[in-house]
Amino acid sequence: MKGSLYLARVPFGENVELAERQLIRALPPLNLRGWANPQSYLIDRLRAKSASEARAFAKRTQKAA
């Protein structure tokens, strides 16, 4: 599974919502519901970590502005 995931840094300037919509259209999120995915716990943890890092980044950039 790890070999199937992509990691990228996407420059989005000030329009985070637009970048998010474009990324979701291009690479739909992993579907964790409706089947017994053995990796769901790990994916949930990684998603939570990613969200936490995004919030911290947003907070830092707001302070710098």
Side-chain angles (χ1 to χ4, degrees), residues 37-54:
N37 182 341
Q39 299 293 327
S40 63
Y41 176 73
L42 174 60
I43 294 168
D44 282 340
R45 283 184 35 221
L46 293 173
R47 282 181 171 175
K49 178 67 173 168
S50 178
S52 173
E53 289 178 5

Side-chain angles (χ1 to χ4, degrees), residues 4-26:
S4 298
L5 296 176
Y6 292 100
L7 174 66
R9 183 188 180 290
V10 178
F12 52 79
E14 298 298 319
N15 199 341
V16 177
E17 290 82 12
L18 174 62
E20 183 178 69
R21 285 193 305 272
Q22 290 174 337
L23 285 170
I24 289 172
R25 266 196 306 274

